[in-house]
């Protein structure tokens, strides 16, 4: 008899995808990724996705902030915990928010370790501009699976003046390519490439050993990610790279209008929706 603990009889042997599983998809079947911020949404997406990202876009999408700068570590932990409760199979990755990792490797390790401990997620994501590779290497060497993020880096858009596609001129393109190469060499298990033209996405994908996950970065990447609420038509804001698969905003609007009408007309609640006291005897 094996001394090792066995899973309980009848329990599914299903396990979550890991950083190694995602990395092994380089050049193979496209890696399917979406964002998730809450347990029921994560549960609905889980069967269809390889990876769920708890994006710092949660600040804009859920909390109504104008950009991602105001997102805190506490917000990421809370939403990360919710997504971990909803997802069974997909790898869960948590975005590190602005100000939690840029000061240097030691700050980054302390905050990433906290996020990993408090959420149980399988990895973290860092926006990787020039100079970030040292931090990525430090984290990976200490056991933290890191996803990089190059190209349009939303946490830097205040300094750069808005969300604009990147790498249109050759100087900017080669900078982004070298950011990606440095992130890859540092040991990232995957790299998000955001808001770049197809030619640059193709060059990056060919140059790095990690799978590239595109958002507004063409079909040349090894996988794709979108913000779920954009794709569902719940966040009303559709840059060119978003495809809408549903109109949840319209569904909510219709349902709320119907409910309001029913309450005002005293059609809701009906008898079946009402509790009654027991009849005496
Ligand atoms: N809901 C949501 N979806 C996202 O994709 C997303 C967030 N939030 N928050 C963080 C970043 C910000 N992102 C953005 C935001 C806006 C554009 C945008 O407006 N792009 C324009 C202009 C491009 C240009 O001028 O080069 C476009 O039409 O695509 C792009 C990426 C992507 N991320
Ligand atoms: C769009 C993805 C890549 C992201 O960083 C986010 O949702 O915050
Ligand atoms: Mg993000």
């Amino acid at each position: 008899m094996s001394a090792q603990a066995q899973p309980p009889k009848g329990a599914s042997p299903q396990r979550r995808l890991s950083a190694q599983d995602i990395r092994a998809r380089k050049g193979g079947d496209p890696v399917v990724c979406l964002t998730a911020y809450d347990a029921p949404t994560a549960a609905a997406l889980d069967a269809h996705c390889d990876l769920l990202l708890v994006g710092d876009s949660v600040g804009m999408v859920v909390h109504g902030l104008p950009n991602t700068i105001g997102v805190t570590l506490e917000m990421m932990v809370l939403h990360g915990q919710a997504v971990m409760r909803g997802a069974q199979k997909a790898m869960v990755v948590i975005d590190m928010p602005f100000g939690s990792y840029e000061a240097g490797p030691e700050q980054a390790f302390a905050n990433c370790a906290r996020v990993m401990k408090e959420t149980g997620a399988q990895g973290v994501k860092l926006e990787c501009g020039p100079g970030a590779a040292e931090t990525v290497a430090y984290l990976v060497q200490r056991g933290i699976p890191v996803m990089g993020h190059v190209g349009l880096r939303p946490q830097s858009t205040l300094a750069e003046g808005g969300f604009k596609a990147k790498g249109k001129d050759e100087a900017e393109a080669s900078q982004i390519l070298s950011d990606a190469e440095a992130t890859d060499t540092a040991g990232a298990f995957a790299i998000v490439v955001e808001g770049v033209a197809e030619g640059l996405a193709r060059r990056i994908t060919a140059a790095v050993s990690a799978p590239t996950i595109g958002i507004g970065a063409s079909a040349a990447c090894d996988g794709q990610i979108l913000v779920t609420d954009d794709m569902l038509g719940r966040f009303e804001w559709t840059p060119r790279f978003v495809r809408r698969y549903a109109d949840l905003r319209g569904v909510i609007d219709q349902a709320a209008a119907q409910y309001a009408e029913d309450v005002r007309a005293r059609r809701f609640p009906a008898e079946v929706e009402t509790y009654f006291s027991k009849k005496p005897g």
Side-chain angles (χ1 to χ4, degrees), residues 56 95 125 127:
D56 61 344
D95 237 355
K125 177 164 82 59
E127 292 184 11

Side-chain angles (χ1 to χ4, degrees), residues 53-58 68 95-96 125 127 149 154-155 194:
L53 173 71
V54 186
D56 61 344
S57 53
V58 69
T68 56
D95 237 355
M96 294 304 290
K125 177 164 82 59
E127 292 184 11
H149 180 162
Q155 292 172 11
E194 175 165 359

Side-chain angles (χ1 to χ4, degrees), residues 57 60-61 154 163-165 194 215 227 230 235 237 239-241:
S57 53
M60 298 174 68
V61 172
F163 299 117
K164 295 196 192 82
E194 175 165 359
I215 172 165
V227 168
D230 297 346
F235 190 73
W237 182 80
R240 173 191 166 90
F241 61 83

Side-chain angles (χ1 to χ4, degrees), residues 215-277:
I215 172 165
S218 86
C221 297
D222 297 300
Q224 296 292 326
I225 186 164
L226 282 176
V227 168
T228 296
D229 299 70
D230 297 346
M231 187 272 286
L232 294 178
R234 201 169 87 109
F235 190 73
E236 4 163 30
W237 182 80
T238 29
R240 173 191 166 90
F241 61 83
V242 175
R243 185 179 295 179
R244 276 214 184 175
Y245 289 87
D247 176 26
L248 282 202
R249 176 64 199 248
V251 169
I252 293 169
D253 190 61
Q254 275 206 334
Q258 190 61 58
Y259 168 74
E261 207 180 294
D262 288 349
V263 170
R264 292 191 178 107
R266 301 191 186 283
R267 278 194 305 266
F268 177 84
E271 274 203 14
V272 288
E273 290 142 347
T274 305
Y275 298 107
F276 295 98
S277 50

Side-chain angles (χ1 to χ4, degrees), residues 175-198:
Q175 180 60 59
I176 292 168
L177 178 59
S178 75
D179 293 345
E181 287 171 331
T183 303
D184 187 52
T185 304
F189 70 85
I191 304 174
V192 168
V193 179
E194 175 165 359
V196 306
E198 185 188 34

Side-chain angles (χ1 to χ4, degrees), residues 25-267:
R25 298 278 289 277
K26 177 72 183 180
D29 290 341
V31 185
V32 180
C33 313
L34 282 170
T35 66
Y37 315 120
D38 63 74
T41 306
L45 301 178
D46 185 59
H48 309 288
C49 293
D50 300 309
L51 185 152
L52 295 177
L53 173 71
V54 186
D56 61 344
S57 53
V58 69
M60 298 174 68
V61 172
V62 176
H63 297 270
L65 292 167
N67 52 51
T68 56
I69 301 300
V71 175
T72 66
L73 211 53
E74 287 69 26
M75 287 162 73
M76 298 315 301
V77 166
L78 217 52
H79 289 285
Q81 290 169 335
V83 168
M84 283 297 292
R85 292 179 198 121
Q88 303 285 313
K89 168 220 115 203
M91 180 180 190
V92 176
V93 174
I94 317 274
D95 237 355
M96 294 304 290
F98 178 72
S100 69
Y101 61 93
E102 302 90 324
E106 296 187 6
Q107 180 209 27
F109 183 78
N111 286 324
C112 293
R114 176 180 163 199
V115 165
M116 302 287 289
K117 282 172 191 281
E118 294 185 12
T119 65
Q122 285 78 48
V124 295
K125 177 164 82 59
L126 273 61
E127 292 184 11
C128 298
E134 187 198 344
T135 294
V136 174
Y138 189 94
L139 298 172
V140 171
Q141 283 159 15
R142 284 158 183 77
I144 299 184
V146 175
M147 190 176 197
H149 180 162
V150 304
L152 194 169
R153 287 174 288 113
Q155 292 172 11
S156 298
T157 46
L158 277 191
E160 294 168 1
F163 299 117
K164 295 196 192 82
K166 289 277 166 188
K168 287 185 178 167
D169 64 79
E170 183 48 36
E172 203 174 57
S174 43
Q175 180 60 59
I176 292 168
L177 178 59
S178 75
D179 293 345
E181 287 171 331
T183 303
D184 187 52
T185 304
F189 70 85
I191 304 174
V192 168
V193 179
E194 175 165 359
V196 306
E198 185 188 34
L200 177 54
R202 199 173 286 286
R203 280 161 74 192
I204 295 171
T205 300
V208 299
S209 66
T212 54
I213 311 295
I215 172 165
S218 86
C221 297
D222 297 300
Q224 296 292 326
I225 186 164
L226 282 176
V227 168
T228 296
D229 299 70
D230 297 346
M231 187 272 286
L232 294 178
R234 201 169 87 109
F235 190 73
E236 4 163 30
W237 182 80
T238 29
R240 173 191 166 90
F241 61 83
V242 175
R243 185 179 295 179
R244 276 214 184 175
Y245 289 87
D247 176 26
L248 282 202
R249 176 64 199 248
V251 169
I252 293 169
D253 190 61
Q254 275 206 334
Q258 190 61 58
Y259 168 74
E261 207 180 294
D262 288 349
V263 170
R264 292 191 178 107
R266 301 191 186 283
R267 278 194 305 266

